[in-house]
Amino acid sequence: MHTPGATTVDAQSRPRPDLRAAALAALALVCFIAWPVPAAFATISAPQVIEGPSLALSDLGGVALAPDGTGGVVYAKEDGGRQHVFAAQYVGGAWRPAQRVDLGPTQGFASSWPVIAAGNGGRLAVVWVQEFGAADRLFSATLQPGARRFEAPVPVDTNVGDSTLGIAPSIAMAPGGQALLAYRVVTNAQPPGAADGGVLAEVRVAKLGGQLWSSLGTPVNRNLAAFQPAPTASNGPQVGIDQTGSGVVAWQELDDQFATRVYARRVFGAAAGIARQVTPRDLGGVPSLSIDGFSLSVGRFGEAAVVWRQQPAAPGASSRVWLATMPDQFATEAAAFAAPRLADGGGAAAPGGGALGVPSVSVSGSEALVGLSVGQTAQALDASEAEIAAPSRLDKNDGAADPGTVVTLSSDTAAVLAYRTGTATRGSVRLIERRSDGVLGDRVLTGPRGGVVDLLKIAGSGVGDGLVAFTQGTGAGRQLVAGVVDAAPQTFAVQAPIDWVGDKVVKLAWDPAVHGVGGVRYSVVVDDDVVAEGLQTTAFDLPTAELEDGARIIAVVATDPSGQETSSIPATLRFDASKPKLQVKTRGRRVQLRVVDGTGSGVDAATVKASLGNGRTVSARAKMTVRYAKAGRYRVVVRATDQAGNKATIRKTVRVR
């Protein structure tokens, strides 16, 4: 478990590791079974203005990033007198110009509620509402791998009621293109008996296959007759998806005591599992009040985490943040969330305490990362199945009134984090990379026109990369800005033959260096020499003509398009090109014969066959003593093979007296 440390490194002035130094370090550390490879820093981009400054810019729908480092951002702006949906694709480490998505004869009215998801190969899916009176419609458009334009819009749901009441869609996509969509359809905005603006609503789920959506058939609510809290843009259902296309959907609903809870279901294919209550009625033996904000994250194997803000139990008390996790779908405990645990380090009572903002969460395997906004401080904490670490401060006393800390966690526990800084009139976003060893690097992002930052969104590739987008400024100065954390390749392993070898060419292979943005090229280092570079494959035939006998240290260095380098865990190549030799010692008529291999691979005694010149032969012995019956010269012929496969036929004349 890695807790964000206090060390900060300038992301733009980090020296690149030297290949020779990497090889020497590998040589020094090869005696360890687990070689501690230092993680490389990511490249944190300069801020990129996607839209604006413009009075027409109205809403940031979201950002998305696939495991291969492609993704995009979606937003709404006025075009031709109506609000429409625009998306910009991020591919090959660069942003393409934004394009309008809601085009065609079905899109003649204003659009709203845009959301976006990304899959590998540059695939994008955008969903939005086309407003049409009391029966608004939900549409989608996809951008296929290799394409530069979105397909024509297709309907998802032709009647979602009055979307202005808070449809709040949520979308997630698997690497292969399967996607899940969850959204809220208010069926009664003023039901009798509902308090504080509560409504009756359906939580609907749809699944994308190819370019068309199919409904799960029935709403996933626990109880369609149960009220839901007053709809807002931030309290709608949330959905996550794993790499197989299965997922988890979570939503808020009042329980039988009229307290707002979070419920969740797993989604398999075209069916949903049992509704599970995530936020319990009792916490520590005390009845808990309603929750007023939550975040869901789903990992690549179906593991899930929900973090929520719990309203204070008594007047004058503070809100608290709780975390509940569910293991991957293959675990025996995968049917339900585990008991909740406090995840705020003391909340308002903690150092730097204050009002708690709505937390964020990201999960990978058995690890979770929680982002906290406590007063004007931005904090984060790590959690495993066994423990929850104390929060660490991310801010430099520059946090906004509500920093809105957002996080995304990598499979190697590296992370990308961001929070809002500044005052009510001037602000920025601090984008942070946390390496897998806990060291932090950061960069402050702001648009050229400055201004307060309101909306902040984050997405991660799961392999260390992160994408943030935020809106900044007001009126004609409003702008949409994006920043990217391009992580270095993850550490990987190289394989060399286990046994001694003496071939003229040795085959080496290594695991692909997991990396998101752009391709990776490889260099092969033997001891302190680079013997090959610019390789795009994960194998290399190593010529051994100039290789010295002995244990050689093999390392492979992966380099991404940004020049970031990561060295593999090294391997030892045991090389022996020398043939066995025969040592002879004579003392009178007694002769000692010894077949040796001076480089260390050793003679294979089973292959030794010696003709002693006196009519006798000896086999399968590397050391032998012979007593000749009479003086004279004897022709000794020894055939042997060493452990590296080098064969030798050695002929010597032995003179005895």
Side-chain angles (χ1 to χ4, degrees):
M1 181 170 60
H2 304 273
T3 302
T7 305
T8 302
V9 180
D10 182 359
Q12 305 307 308
S13 60
R14 305 177 182 114
R16 296 176 182 170
D18 179 71
L19 295 180
R20 184 178 299 270
L24 291 175
L27 181 62
L29 294 170
V30 72
C31 59
F32 290 90
I33 296 175
W35 191 63
V37 183
F41 272 108
T43 294
I44 304 179
S45 74
Q48 174 76 44
V49 177
I50 305 298
E51 183 69 47
S54 172
L55 184 64
L57 178 61
S58 56
D59 186 28
L60 167 60
V63 290
L65 194 62
D68 69 350
T70 60
V73 60
V74 68
Y75 58 98
K77 75 169 185 176
E78 186 177 314
D79 183 43
R82 297 183 186 274
Q83 180 174 272
H84 289 288
V85 175
F86 290 78
Q89 185 186 30
Y90 182 75
V91 63
W95 288 97
R96 288 179 176 171
Q99 56 183 290
R100 184 176 154 185
V101 179
D102 57 341
L103 293 168
T106 62
Q107 306 297 306
F109 300 94
S111 296
S112 60
W113 298 101
V115 290
I116 190 170
N120 283 345
R123 181 184 279 107
L124 294 175
V126 173
V127 173
W128 67 94
V129 169
Q130 174 71 188
E131 296 177 1
F132 193 61
D136 295 337
R137 301 167 296 179
L138 202 59
F139 281 88
S140 172
T142 55
L143 182 67
Q144 299 300 320
R148 299 186 73 94
R149 302 294 301 179
F150 279 86
E151 304 285 342
V154 297
V156 179
D157 192 330
T158 56
N159 187 352
V160 295
D162 184 357
S163 63
T164 62
L165 297 175
I167 186 172
S170 172
I171 187 173
M173 179 176 280
Q178 310 99 313
L180 290 173
L181 173 71
Y183 54 101
R184 173 177 53 202
V185 176
V186 175
T187 56
N188 190 338
Q190 295 179 327
D196 300 325
V199 299
L200 290 176
E202 296 179 353
V203 177
R204 301 179 186 176
V205 175
K207 188 167 186 177
L208 176 66
Q211 299 179 44
L212 300 178
W213 293 85
S214 58
S215 172
L216 236 57
T218 58
V220 297
N221 306 53
R222 172 192 65 100
N223 180 2
L224 286 173
F227 300 131
Q228 294 188 21
T232 67
S234 60
N235 71 357
Q238 298 181 31
V239 71
I241 198 167
D242 65 18
Q243 61 184 359
T244 69
S246 298
V248 177
V249 58
W251 68 96
Q252 296 183 67
E253 182 179 319
L254 272 62
D255 66 8
D256 297 337
Q257 284 72 43
F258 300 98
T260 304
R261 310 294 184 203
V262 173
Y263 294 86
R265 293 181 190 257
R266 286 196 181 274
V267 179
F268 305 96
I274 299 171
R276 301 287 186 178
Q277 184 171 325
V278 181
T279 58
R281 178 183 175 184
D282 297 321
L283 290 170
V286 178
S288 63
L289 300 183
S290 295
I291 66 103
D292 61 353
F294 80 100
S295 174
L296 165 73
S297 176
V298 177
R300 57 180 177 170
F301 297 112
E303 62 272 23
V306 172
V307 65
W308 67 92
R309 182 174 63 186
Q310 190 80 42
Q311 293 179 9
S318 63
S319 301
R320 301 301 301 270
V321 168
W322 294 80
L323 169 71
T325 58
M326 182 167 60
D328 65 70
Q329 59 178 302
F330 307 106
T332 55
E333 304 87 1
F337 283 82
R341 297 174 288 169
L342 275 171
D344 58 16
L356 284 172
V358 176
S360 64
V361 68
S362 182
V363 67
S364 180
S366 61
E367 303 287 329
L369 178 65
V370 177
L372 298 169
S373 296
V374 186
Q376 290 183 273
T377 69
Q379 304 181 18
L381 63 83
D382 289 277
S384 68
E385 293 177 348
E387 61 178 330
I388 294 181
S392 292
R393 283 197 50 178
L394 304 172
D395 65 281
K396 302 179 179 181
N397 293 317
D398 59 352
D402 179 5
T405 310
V406 289
V407 299
T408 177
L409 185 64
S410 170
S411 58
D412 64 351
T413 69
V416 178
L417 313 93
Y419 66 92
R420 293 191 295 258
T421 74
T423 66
T425 57
R426 298 183 60 184
S428 58
V429 166
R430 187 175 295 276
L431 181 56
I432 302 169
E433 177 229 355
R434 187 188 75 179
R435 301 189 322 189
S436 58
D437 61 3
V439 178
L440 304 182
D442 69 328
R443 185 167 189 166
V444 175
L445 307 179
T446 187
R449 294 288 292 271
V452 64
V453 173
D454 49 5
L455 300 175
L456 172 61
K457 306 283 187 178
I458 194 169
S461 66
V463 295
D465 312 285
L467 180 63
V468 298
F470 56 94
T471 49
Q472 186 174 21
T474 58
R478 190 167 172 80
Q479 53 210 314
L480 173 60
V481 185
V484 180
V485 173
D486 176 6
Q490 291 186 357
T491 303
F492 57 103
V494 59
Q495 295 89 40
I498 297 175
D499 299 324
W500 285 85
V501 295
D503 301 329
K504 293 182 178 179
V505 175
V506 175
K507 293 186 177 297
L508 303 176
W510 52 91
D511 299 329
V514 177
H515 182 253
V517 181
V520 175
R521 294 182 181 271
Y522 301 97
S523 300
V524 179
V525 180
V526 180
D527 292 337
D528 59 348
D529 294 321
V530 179
V531 299
E533 54 189 344
L535 304 177
Q536 294 180 278
T537 62
T538 56
F540 177 66
D541 291 339
L542 174 67
T544 60
E546 299 182 6
L547 210 60
E548 295 182 3
D549 289 354
R552 308 270 65 86
I553 305 303
I554 307 296
V556 175
V557 177
T559 305
D560 70 8
S562 299
Q564 301 176 109
E565 297 172 340
T566 299
S567 181
S568 70
I569 300 171
T572 301
L573 173 65
R574 296 171 175 83
F575 179 71
D576 178 8
S578 301
K579 297 180 179 181
K581 296 178 176 60
L582 180 64
Q583 294 178 346
V584 180
K585 292 183 180 180
T586 60
R587 180 177 294 179
R589 295 181 184 177
R590 187 176 179 179
V591 179
Q592 185 181 72
L593 303 176
R594 186 175 183 181
V595 185
V596 297
D597 184 51
T599 61
S601 70
V603 174
D604 184 356
T607 67
V608 175
K609 186 173 183 180
S611 175
L612 303 178
N614 61 354
R616 293 180 57 199
T617 60
V618 177
S619 300
R621 293 173 59 186
K623 182 179 180 181
M624 62 202 82
T625 300
V626 183
R627 184 181 297 275
Y628 287 92
K630 57 183 179 179
R633 293 185 176 185
Y634 297 89
R635 187 67 167 171
V636 175
V637 180
V638 177
R639 293 178 173 83
T641 303
D642 65 16
Q643 299 290 346
N646 298 301
K647 297 181 179 180
T649 300
I650 309 165
R651 296 178 174 85
K652 282 197 175 184
T653 299
V654 178
R655 181 180 294 178
V656 298
R657 298 178 182 178

